[in-house]
């Protein structure tokens, strides 16, 4: 068994940097023809050996731009086998302080845009004998409190809800799944977690004691689009290293350590 995706044509939105670049490289390594889109190209060409990703400038919130993107892929390659809806994100902003327009744009980018891209891709895939596969890159923020990124968390929860509905509506030709991603170490990690000490501290809260890599996410996306996952649809694959250690355990351990220290001090006196 392998993740060989030779002859597959894959679109990765937001695929030029960070997690998206890692996803794109995994698909290139697996032999796929990869098209990446973003509003601006990355600093360097995405390539693995002699395989190079095809970059197309596109704002995935713009219906006309998305239509042109999908049409261009089909015109050039004759098919579209898989889409990984990775484009998204949000800066830190407390819900009470952010403007209604800010919240609107966050939901538009993180929920409505993936739906728009998926609609356009589904239209193509339904007409193909082989159908297709759509993967949403979601977040643990949609499954737990997300202070500072409340609209983002709500949008990601919406994406995971969409997956179940679309998987039913678009079956049997198109499979739709979601990857629920935890903290990932990228070139932008310092914006969320601070310096190396901050990253190390965050890693200690994760059972596997490290943040995910973009490649970890890419391998899961490749699996979901491959024949190995041919009977998987409407599912959420959680990629978070075991999740977050419950806060009460830390509180109990801290209290126990404090009691032990007090008792030791008392004996010494």
């Amino acid at each position: 068994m392998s993740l060989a995706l030779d002859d597959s044509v894959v679109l990765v939105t937001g695929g030029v940097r960070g997690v998206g670049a890692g996803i794109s490289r995994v698909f290139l390594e697996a032999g796929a023809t990869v098209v990446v889109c973003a509003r601006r190209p990355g600093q360097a060409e995405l390539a693995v050996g002699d395989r190079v990703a095809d970059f197309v400038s596109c704002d995935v919130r713009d219906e006309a731009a998305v239509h042109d993107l999908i049409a261009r892929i089909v015109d050039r390659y004759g098919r579209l086998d898989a889409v990984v809806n990775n484009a998204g994100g949000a800066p830190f902003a407390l819900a009470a302080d952010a403007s209604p327009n800010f919240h609107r744009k966050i939901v538009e980018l993180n929920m409505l845009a993936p739906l728009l891209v998926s609609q356009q891709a589904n239209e193509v895939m339904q007409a193909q004998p082989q159908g297709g596969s759509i993967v949403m890159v979601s977040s643990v923020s949609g499954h737990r409190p997300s202070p500072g990124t409340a609209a983002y968390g709500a949008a990601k929860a919406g994406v995971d809800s969409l997956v179940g509905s679309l998987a039913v509506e678009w079956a049997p030709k198109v499979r739709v799944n979601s990857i629920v991603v935890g903290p990932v170490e990228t070139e932008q990690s310092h914006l969320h977690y601070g310096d190396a000490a901050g990253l190390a501290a965050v890693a200690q809260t994760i059972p596997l004691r490290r943040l995910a890599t973009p490649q970890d996410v890419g391998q899961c996306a490749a699996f979901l689009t491959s024949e190995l996952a041919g009977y998987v649809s409407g599912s959420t694959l959680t990629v978070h290293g075991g999740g977050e250690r419950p806060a009460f355990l830390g509180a109990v351990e801290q209290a126990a350590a404090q009691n032990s220290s007090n008792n030791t001090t008392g004996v010494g006196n």
Side-chain angles (χ1 to χ4, degrees):
M1 296 188 295
S2 72
L3 289 179
L5 296 169
D6 298 341
D7 301 324
S8 292
V9 178
V10 181
L11 167 65
V12 182
T13 69
V16 301
R17 57 181 60 85
V19 173
I23 293 171
S24 300
R25 290 191 181 96
V26 168
F27 276 97
L28 287 170
E29 290 169 355
T33 295
V34 178
V35 180
V36 296
C37 76
R39 286 183 294 172
R40 295 176 297 277
Q43 293 182 337
E45 188 177 62
L46 267 174
V48 173
D50 60 353
R51 304 183 65 81
V52 181
D54 181 9
F55 172 76
V56 180
S57 177
C58 178
D59 183 343
V60 291
R61 299 168 297 183
D62 184 321
E63 182 177 356
V66 170
H67 179 273
D68 291 345
L69 167 67
I70 301 298
R72 174 172 172 171
I73 294 171
V74 175
D75 287 345
R76 181 166 185 178
Y77 300 107
R79 57 195 290 175
L80 176 58
D81 298 293
V83 171
V84 182
N85 279 303
N86 167 75
F92 183 91
L94 294 174
D97 300 332
S99 70
N101 187 56
F102 174 89
H103 289 148
R104 187 178 303 111
K105 287 184 176 297
I106 294 301
V107 173
E108 183 180 23
L109 175 61
N110 290 282
M111 188 180 75
L112 297 181
L115 175 57
L116 173 60
V117 174
S118 297
Q119 283 181 303
Q120 299 280 355
N122 173 68
E123 186 174 350
V124 171
M125 293 173 177
Q126 291 292 341
Q128 298 176 155
Q130 75 276 15
S133 174
I134 296 171
V135 175
M136 307 287 197
V137 177
S138 184
S139 171
V140 293
S141 293
H143 297 266
R144 55 142 169 82
S146 186
T149 53
Y152 172 80
K156 289 303 188 181
V159 163
D160 291 328
S161 178
L162 272 174
V163 163
S165 298
L166 299 183
V168 173
E169 288 191 21
W170 296 348
K173 278 294 190 70
V174 177
R175 295 186 298 107
V176 187
N177 293 289
S178 175
I179 302 174
V180 179
V181 181
V184 184
E185 186 170 358
T186 71
E187 66 272 20
Q188 299 292 315
S189 293
H190 64 282
L191 298 177
H192 300 279
Y193 310 121
D195 58 12
L199 286 171
V202 172
Q204 290 305 304
T205 70
I206 299 170
L208 291 188
R209 295 296 190 269
R210 69 174 179 87
L211 279 69
T213 66
Q215 184 181 25
D216 290 325
V217 182
Q219 288 170 341
C220 291
F223 162 71
L224 287 174
T225 64
S226 75
E227 292 184 359
L228 296 178
Y231 198 64
V232 180
S233 192
S235 294
T236 56
L237 175 58
T238 307
V239 185
H240 61 8
E244 297 174 336
R245 197 163 183 267
F248 77 86
L249 291 177
V252 169
E253 290 170 357
Q254 184 176 5
Q258 184 62 47
N259 287 337
S260 176
S261 175
N262 292 341
N263 292 336
T264 301
T265 302
V267 170
N269 289 339

